[in-house]
Amino acid sequence: MSVEQRVQNHFHADAHRFDAIYEDDKSLLVRWIDGVWRGVVRKRFELTLELLAPLTGKTLLDVGCGSGRYCIAYAERGATRVVGVDFAAAMIDLANEHARQAEVSDRCEFRAGIFPDAVPEETFDASSAMGFFDYVADPVPIVARMRELTRSKMILSFPKSREWRAPVRRVRFWFNGCPLFLYSEQRVREILRESGVTAYDWIELDRDYIVAARL
Ligand SMILES: C[S@@+](CC[C@H](N)C(=O)[O-])C[C@H]1O[C@@H](n2cnc3c(N)ncnc32)[C@H](O)[C@@H]1O
C-alpha cells in the first residue's frame, strides 16, 4: 500500500478522535494528555489566525484541511472564499457538518481528494498547510504548487525530528500503520529553497517549526 493510501486510511478512521482535540468538553485526564502530546495543534491554530489577520475580503486555501477548523475560522473572520482539501472522506464530512453549524457553508468549499489534483485552477490570497507535512514523503512539489496558487502569504508547519516527544510519536505511528515524517531545521530550509520560497519568517512553536512565507 502506498504512503498516501496508508495516511488516508489512518485519518479516515481517526477523524473524530483528531477533531476532538479542538473541543473543551472532555475529562481532566484527556485534557492533560492532549495538552502534553497534541497541545501544538491548538497553539498553531491560534498562531496561524494571528499571522494571517486581517482576513476580511480574502480568499484562502487550506491544504490537508482535516475537519475544517481552519477554513471555518477563516470564513468567520471575514474571508469571502475558502477552499479546503483533504483525502480522508470522514474528515471532509466533519468539515461540511462544522461549516453548516457555523453557518459559513456559503463561503467554504471542501474538496475530497489528494493535493494538488483536487484543487481548482485558481489563485488565493493566502494558504496554509498545518499538521500536514508530518504525512508527506516528498514536500517539495507540494510547497512549490502551493506557492504557485498563493499570491501573498503561506503558513506551513513541519514537525521537529529532534524533540523529546519524537521517539514516542514515531513508535505510536509505526504501531498504527501510518507513515510519519519528521524534519531537521536544515531539511526544512532546503525544502523551502528547492520550492522557490525565499522570504519567510521562522518560528519555533512547541514540537513544530512554523514557516510564514511572504510571496
Ligand atoms: C493531522 S491532520 C491536520 C488537519 C488540519 N490541518 C488541522 O490541523 O486541524 C492532517 C490531514 O492531512 C490530510 N492529508 C495528508 N496528506 C494528504 C494529501 N496528500 N492530500 C490531501 N490530504 C492529505 C489527512 O487526511 C489529514 O486529515
Side-chain angles (χ1 to χ4, degrees), residues 58-119:
K58 300 277 170 59
T59 60
L60 286 107
L61 168 68
D62 189 35
V63 176
C65 66
S67 55
R69 298 286 182 161
Y70 285 73
C71 296
I72 290 155
Y74 297 159
E76 285 176 334
R77 283 158 183 75
T80 48
R81 171 162 167 75
V82 186
V83 173
V85 57
D86 200 292
F87 59 21
M91 286 289 200
I92 293 293
D93 289 346
L94 275 173
N96 279 314
E97 183 53 35
H98 287 320
R100 255 194 306 278
Q101 282 167 7
E103 298 180 3
V104 294
S105 298
D106 57 329
R107 279 160 281 153
C108 292
E109 182 185 344
F110 294 106
R111 297 209 163 203
I114 194 161
F115 181 83
D117 308 9
V119 168

Side-chain angles (χ1 to χ4, degrees), residues 3-4 7-12 15 18-19 21-22 41-42 44-45 62-70 85-89 91-92 111-116 118 128-136 142 157 169 173:
V3 165
E4 286 85 0
V7 172
Q8 186 179 14
N9 290 349
H10 173 78
F11 281 104
H12 180 64
F18 181 83
D19 184 58
I21 298 171
Y22 290 99
V41 173
R42 290 175 69 149
R44 67 190 176 212
F45 175 77
D62 189 35
V63 176
C65 66
S67 55
R69 298 286 182 161
Y70 285 73
V85 57
D86 200 292
F87 59 21
M91 286 289 200
I92 293 293
R111 297 209 163 203
I114 194 161
F115 181 83
S128 51
M130 306 305 287
F132 170 79
F133 291 105
D134 314 37
Y135 313 102
V136 173
I142 299 208
S157 75
R169 252 194 118 198
F173 275 81

